[in-house]
Amino acid sequence: MASSFYTVESKLSAADAAKRLQEAVLKEKYGVIDVLNLKQIMAGKGVTYDDEAIVVSVCEPNYARKFLTLENTVASCLPCRISVTSRRGKTYISLPLPSAMFGLFSNGELAKAGAETEAALKRMVDAAKA
């Protein structure tokens, strides 16, 4: 069975990989909706987390419309989120695959449409690891 995630290791710091990811998103003509630094958010609430955890939310509006037209409850899965995390001194960039995530819905057309976006999303992840 194929993995539901596409994950690569990066030699960059999490912050640098997240910055490169945002640049790659724009080159693919997607938009960066939000960047959440979970470590900072937790620290603001008095919770200590030793590793890095950054989530970059990305969207391509034409695909978003297509997904929502096929299944309006898919809104809870949008926008696409790509994580940049660290663990034991290593940085990882991870993407939940839309075909797998949308496969949770009883709508084969939705999973098929999600698969259409995967090549571009994987290119973003690969560009960010350099």
Side-chain angles (χ1 to χ4, degrees):
M1 181 173 153
S3 174
S4 297
F5 289 84
Y6 180 69
T7 302
V8 300
E9 186 177 336
S10 172
K11 301 285 185 197
L12 301 173
S13 69
D16 288 343
K19 182 178 179 183
R20 285 189 64 110
L21 176 60
Q22 292 172 68
E23 293 166 356
V25 168
L26 298 177
K27 285 182 183 173
E28 287 289 337
K29 307 242 187 291
Y30 279 58
V32 175
I33 304 301
D34 198 7
V35 178
L36 300 172
N37 186 318
L38 301 180
K39 181 176 182 171
Q40 288 179 350
I41 292 168
M42 288 185 282
K45 304 290 183 185
V47 176
T48 302
Y49 181 70
D50 293 331
D51 294 312
E52 298 297 328
I54 301 167
V55 178
V56 180
S57 299
V58 306
C59 183
E60 200 291 324
N62 292 304
Y63 274 114
R65 181 186 62 219
K66 184 174 188 174
F67 300 151
L68 290 165
T69 300
L70 290 168
E71 180 71 51
N72 66 337
T73 58
V74 79
S76 61
C77 297
L78 299 177
C80 295
R81 291 168 180 86
I82 304 171
S83 65
V84 181
T85 58
S86 68
R87 174 93 19 151
R88 296 181 196 97
K90 295 184 178 184
T91 299
Y92 301 94
I93 307 164
S94 186
L95 162 72
L97 295 174
S99 60
M101 186 170 33
F102 294 168
L104 297 171
F105 296 84
S106 298
N107 185 329
E109 289 300 310
L110 181 61
K112 185 177 171 183
E116 293 174 12
T117 65
E118 288 182 13
L121 292 166
K122 286 179 177 180
R123 282 193 302 270
M124 293 173 208
V125 169
D126 288 339
K129 75 177 180 181

